[in-house]
Amino acid sequence: MRRSVIKGTGRYIPPHLVTNDDLAKIIDTTDEWIQQRTGIKQRYWIEPGSVTGSSDLALEASKKAMDKAGWKPEDIDLIIFATLSPDIFFPGSGVFLQTKLGLDSTPALDIRQQCTGFLYGITTADAYIRAGIADRVLVVGAEVHSTGLDKTDRGRDVTVIFGDGAGAACIEVCESDEEIGIIGHALHADGKYAESLMLELPASRYSPERLTKEMMVDGREYPKMDGSRIFKLAVKKLPEVTHEILEKTGYTINDLDMIIPHQANLRINEFYLQKLGLPPEKMFNNIQKYGNTTAGSIPIALDEAIELGKIDTSKDLVLLSALGAGLTWGAVLYKFS
Ligand code: ACO
């Protein structure tokens, strides 16, 4: 049977460190508020003034993942690129990454599911592999948030949480009768919450022009979030989708060796773990160092957890889960072997 396994992971975090105290110098916030509400101590942003798109960060993460997988760019059958901060409005960042990898005909697909983007990405990769359409899929989640944040007091709730970064995974076919690799997925969306977390402009729905100076007066070109609504949805839906995928695949909560959740807020993840009744060592968090890197957060955390030896890559059962703008949420269950 065709199954999908992770052959290599990689991450890239840009070098420009921004601490909470750095932010407190430009907006009305404090290190104490940010740490208490989110757990974040610092994040990294691209070098101010540089021309660095999400595809540039993705390239570095992809090269590391491909080195570990033993892949050359020509081995890739499909690129899946998850981001909410594409290099430009269109085309998507996948084609920029493709050409930076030195390729000129490999298909490239962009996924716009925000924090759940990497999970939609690896689920799509699994479907392509199981269907025999592809043998090797590069899935990347990458964000350059820092150039699109409202760095005034008006945007302080959103600006303090986001960091830049990229993570990648090389997903490859494996013929096996054992239940290994990607063994289950559960993806969801609920569009009635679309405007609870959005970056509205430029918007094709407005005419005669999609972006005018008048529209920008209220900062509608920056992300807006109803934080407490999203928080409440997250602490409800993340445990729900965890139980859903375990039920679907026939595992129990105690079979899980590690949870790699999206890194949106440490408090969300602590509530989530509490509701599952699991001890802290069953969840890996690194939001303290990187902030919320949206589509990048799960592959970054997965790569770091593997590097730190938090996951036994010869046997562990690992759950990846996320909730974010859309509203989108989901989980993927992975068995290392
Ligand atoms: N510094 C200081 N004070 C602030 C800041 C800040 N950076 N931001 C907001 N405040 C103030 C508010 O103005 C408010 O003041 P008031 O009581 O005088 O009105 C107070 O702090 C509380 O504001 P809340 O918004 O209620 O704070 P909350 O505890 O909800 O924390 C946060 C805000 C961190 C954003 C939280 O709601 C959250 O994490 N929500 C979920 C985020 C999430 O999961 N998003 C999805 C993923 S992202 C994606 O998909 C792209």
Side-chain angles (χ1 to χ4, degrees):
M1 185 174 179
R2 287 175 71 89
R3 296 183 184 276
S4 312
V5 296
I6 298 174
K7 295 294 281 187
T9 55
R11 67 183 189 279
Y12 179 74
I13 307 293
H16 178 57
L17 172 68
V18 180
T19 64
N20 293 344
D21 286 334
D22 292 333
L23 289 181
K25 286 179 198 144
I26 55 169
I27 50 182
D28 181 14
T29 191
T30 59
D31 174 49
E32 192 192 2
W33 190 95
I34 301 171
Q35 286 209 49
Q36 265 181 11
R37 303 283 175 138
T38 70
I40 299 168
K41 296 178 185 211
Q42 58 177 52
R43 76 287 294 136
Y44 293 84
W45 286 354
I46 61 160
E47 202 57 52
S50 67
V51 182
T52 308
S54 296
S55 68
D56 295 298
L57 307 189
L59 176 66
E60 299 308 320
S62 300
K63 283 197 229 160
K64 292 180 187 179
M66 288 164 61
D67 267 356
K68 289 182 202 155
W71 288 10
K72 297 184 294 302
E74 309 77 76
D75 296 328
I76 302 168
D77 296 323
L78 171 68
I79 294 167
I80 299 180
F81 198 123
T83 187
L84 66 66
S85 51
D87 295 51
I88 58 172
F89 195 74
F90 82 82
S93 287
V95 295
F96 287 101
L97 175 62
Q98 186 238 39
T99 192
K100 284 170 186 166
L101 285 166
L103 300 168
D104 60 10
S105 74
T106 309
L109 174 68
D110 271 50
I111 291 212
R112 297 194 49 187
Q113 304 319 116
Q114 299 62 247
C115 302
T116 321
F118 186 75
L119 300 186
Y120 272 76
I122 56 173
T123 300
T124 306
D126 186 39
Y128 269 74
I129 288 172
R130 284 180 191 259
I133 304 170
D135 286 344
R136 280 170 292 273
V137 184
L138 174 66
V139 185
V140 192
E143 307 287 357
V144 174
H145 285 305
S146 57
T147 48
L149 297 171
D150 182 355
K151 299 187 191 89
T152 69
D153 293 349
R154 181 181 58 191
R156 64 181 180 170
D157 55 330
V158 174
T159 296
V160 299
I161 65 179
F162 286 118
D164 299 339
C170 295
I171 318 273
E172 189 170 302
V173 67
C174 171
E175 286 286 349
S176 175
D177 292 331
E178 281 176 55
E179 199 164 50
I180 57 165
I182 298 175
I183 56 176
H185 3 77
L187 297 179
H188 297 282
D190 187 347
K192 73 173 168 291
Y193 298 108
E195 300 198 353
S196 297
L197 175 47
M198 66 168 176
L199 191 159
E200 189 188 5
L201 299 177
S204 60
R205 64 185 176 183
Y206 299 131
S207 65
E209 287 176 69
R210 58 182 63 171
L211 181 67
T212 63
K213 274 198 178 134
E214 292 71 46
M215 289 178 185
M216 288 166 67
V217 166
D218 298 330
R220 288 158 65 196
E221 75 279 26
Y222 294 118
K224 292 278 177 311
M225 176 166 70
D226 181 347
S228 59
R229 170 175 273 188
I230 303 282
F231 194 106
K232 284 177 200 142
L233 287 163
V235 294
K236 178 171 182 291
K237 293 197 178 289
L238 289 170
E240 269 175 20
V241 78
T242 301
H243 289 299
E244 177 193 338
I245 198 168
L246 290 171
E247 204 169 302
K248 252 184 174 175
T249 51
Y251 287 91
T252 69
I253 197 81
N254 293 321
D255 294 326
L256 291 178
D257 294 300
M258 182 59 76
I259 299 177
I260 308 279
H262 167 54
Q263 303 292 301
N265 185 320
L266 194 60
R267 285 171 57 219
I268 290 178
N269 289 350
E270 286 166 354
F271 278 123
Y272 171 28
L273 195 68
Q274 218 177 61
K275 283 198 176 176
L276 296 179
L278 290 174
E281 60 273 18
K282 291 264 176 150
M283 180 178 278
F284 183 74
N285 287 302
N286 60 7
I287 188 171
Q288 302 91 327
K289 289 193 290 187
Y290 305 129
N292 178 352
T293 56
T294 306
S297 98
I298 290 179
I300 290 171
L302 179 63
D303 184 55
E304 193 167 270
I306 292 172
E307 191 175 281
L308 294 172
K310 305 276 182 196
I311 292 174
D312 182 339
T313 54
S314 69
K315 65 167 190 52
D316 275 0
L317 183 69
V318 176
L319 180 95
L320 313 175
S321 54
L323 175 139
L327 193 76
T328 57
W329 68 101
V332 168
L333 197 59
Y334 189 87
K335 175 87 172 86
F336 282 91
S337 62

